[in-house]
Amino acid sequence: IGMPAYAVQIANVLNGVSIMQEKKYNAVKFTVPEGRILIVDDIVTNLTVAEGLLAPYHIPVDCCTGGIEAIGLVEKNHYDLVFMDHMMPGMDGIEATKAIRDLHTEYSQALPIIALTANAISGMREMFLEKGFNDYISKPIELNQLDEILRKWIPEAKKKKAASPSAVSPKTAPAAAPGAIPGVDTARGLAMTGGSETSYRKVLGSFRKDALDRLPLFARAPGEPELSLFVTNVHALKSAAGTIGAAAVSQEAEELEAAGKAGDLARITDLLSGFYQDLQNLAEQIGLALNREGTVELNREGAEGNSAQYFFLFTELAEALKQEEIGAIRRIFAELETAPLDGKFRETLTDISNAVLMSEFGEAVKKTDKLLRGIS
């Protein structure tokens, strides 16, 4: 079956981006299989992106969405590096970093903590250094900046020379990336998330969930007591929308963030209804694109919409989740994420993946078991 003209055009664009990203990944000269990194960010989209960009380094990654949880993980585990989001609800990155330093252990004092910020302006580095951070990196994360941070702060003893460039280059999935999504520059989004079509689909799914989860927060203008939390949430969506290639929504979020920081409630009221509608439409369009992709893949494979053929993989996934076997979980995800599943199953798979990302294995098992009951 021939591809439609628009699909060919998109595929050509995406192929060009994939080549560009592979060249960047070819610059990765070391891996860190015996290291460990913690990523702290209040929006799952950004965690998904960061984990994907770190994948070529083969370094184990833990994730969490809040400062208090981050402190507990630092006390419990030994990390070589922490990426800490600057702005988070509740305890923010500055407060969490101070609390880690106040543990007053040799480890907590020497631990490299890198600020993640979507507000990289002149003087930020000096401010972060004063607050106990070792360095900072801008969001959306660029591969060359990430590589520079890892080279600078990961102990040399933990680094291993990469076997070959191809060994660390991400494998592009055979399935096509989603087609045209209104309001989204998919070529840019693919580039910003590492160049893998499979990874980009995963990030789009995470963004859709993040957007829908936060949508009720923007149904009405905030009052004075709610302003700080409002600013934090639009800030998070600003960087996440920019990462997937949704520049217009990202710009709207930036304007709302600025109005919130200025305490301009009238300006927020003027902008909010448009932002709410655009964010809702974006989430819907992403959902349609991901569902449409599933239908195209099913037709291409000659299937009839029946996901029961993948029952054995979901069963294997459930067992791996119960045993918390990360290697097996990642292998099964890699197979399922390129499988011709319909939109419902693909959405559930994203939910399971997000639960694993947050080390919520019990929740992931529940979702997998529920899915299995639906196809048994």
Side-chain angles (χ1 to χ4, degrees):
I1 300 175
M3 293 178 68
Y6 76 87
V8 173
Q9 182 180 9
I10 292 170
N12 288 339
V13 172
L14 295 179
N15 184 55
V17 174
S18 297
I19 293 171
M20 175 185 69
Q21 289 298 316
E22 184 164 342
K23 289 180 180 178
K24 289 187 177 181
Y25 271 106
N26 285 349
V28 175
K29 302 298 184 184
F30 63 90
T31 59
V32 196
E34 297 178 1
R36 196 169 186 179
I37 282 180
L38 174 63
I39 310 171
V40 189
D41 200 304
D42 66 304
I43 189 164
V44 176
T45 302
N46 291 339
L47 294 174
T48 305
V49 171
E51 185 188 44
L53 294 179
L54 286 164
Y57 296 92
H58 298 175
I59 186 167
V61 172
D62 292 340
C63 298
C64 69
T65 56
I68 293 176
E69 188 180 358
I71 297 165
L73 288 170
V74 168
E75 289 182 297
K76 178 183 176 182
N77 305 305
H78 188 283
Y79 296 105
D80 298 291
L81 190 71
V82 175
F83 287 108
M84 180 76 73
D85 188 21
H86 173 210
M87 291 181 64
M88 296 183 289
M91 178 180 283
D92 66 20
I94 291 175
E95 294 168 325
T97 297
K98 182 180 185 303
I100 290 171
R101 300 305 187 201
D102 286 348
L103 295 174
H104 296 300
T105 64
E106 183 177 350
Y107 160 59
S108 69
Q109 296 296 307
L111 175 64
I113 303 179
I114 312 302
L116 287 168
T117 179
N119 292 335
I121 58 176
S122 177
M124 291 294 286
R125 177 180 174 82
E126 291 72 19
M127 185 276 286
F128 285 129
L129 292 177
E130 290 175 2
K131 298 297 184 180
F133 292 90
N134 297 88
D135 212 331
Y136 84 95
I137 187 168
S138 301
K139 295 189 291 185
I141 297 172
E142 294 185 4
L143 295 176
N144 60 338
Q145 292 180 334
L146 178 63
D147 188 74
E148 183 179 343
I149 289 291
L150 296 177
R151 286 176 182 274
K152 183 176 180 180
W153 294 108
I154 294 292
E156 288 298 325
K158 293 286 185 78
K159 297 174 187 173
K160 292 189 176 181
K161 185 177 179 180
S164 67
S166 60
V168 295
S169 295
K171 301 301 182 185
T172 300
I181 304 174
V184 179
D185 182 345
T186 54
R188 176 170 174 76
L190 187 68
M192 295 303 297
T193 54
S196 161
E197 286 90 341
T198 298
S199 295
Y200 184 44
R201 288 195 302 273
K202 185 177 179 181
V203 171
L204 284 171
S206 293
F207 178 84
R208 177 176 177 272
K209 185 176 187 304
D210 281 328
L212 292 175
D213 286 347
R214 283 168 168 76
L215 203 57
L217 301 174
F218 307 121
R220 62 174 180 82
E224 287 285 354
E226 305 163 308
L227 201 53
S228 177
L229 181 59
F230 175 84
V231 169
T232 299
N233 277 295
V234 294
H235 171 86
L237 286 170
K238 175 185 71 174
S239 63
T243 298
I244 67 166
V249 168
S250 180
Q251 179 62 36
E252 288 179 280
E254 184 174 0
E255 292 175 7
L256 283 166
E257 180 186 6
K261 288 181 175 179
D264 191 343
L265 296 179
R267 177 65 173 160
I268 291 175
T269 301
D270 288 341
L271 296 173
L272 193 57
S273 61
F275 174 71
Y276 179 95
Q277 189 62 56
D278 289 345
L279 183 63
Q280 184 178 52
N281 289 341
L282 177 59
E284 290 175 356
Q285 291 298 329
I286 289 171
L288 288 172
L290 294 178
N291 289 346
R292 183 170 62 242
E293 171 204 352
T295 301
V296 169
E297 287 302 311
L298 284 167
N299 291 338
R300 187 178 300 162
E301 295 296 328
E304 298 178 0
N306 183 3
S307 299
Q309 60 182 310
Y310 295 99
F311 182 83
F312 72 97
L313 274 177
F314 284 110
T315 302
E316 188 180 358
L317 176 62
E319 186 59 33
L321 288 168
K322 291 172 185 175
Q323 302 299 323
E324 298 186 15
E325 297 176 350
I326 298 299
I329 292 169
R330 288 177 175 169
R331 174 183 57 77
I332 298 166
F333 274 148
E335 292 186 58
L336 288 172
E337 286 171 348
T338 58
L341 301 175
D342 62 27
K344 179 187 70 173
F345 284 95
R346 195 168 294 284
E347 184 173 343
T348 303
L349 189 62
T350 295
D351 290 343
I352 296 169
S353 178
N354 288 341
V356 172
L357 182 68
M358 304 306 300
S359 298
E360 296 172 352
F361 292 99
E363 184 65 23
V365 169
K366 290 180 184 178
K367 291 180 182 295
T368 306
D369 285 344
K370 182 178 179 180
L371 187 149
L372 281 168
R373 288 195 296 271
I375 61 176
S376 60

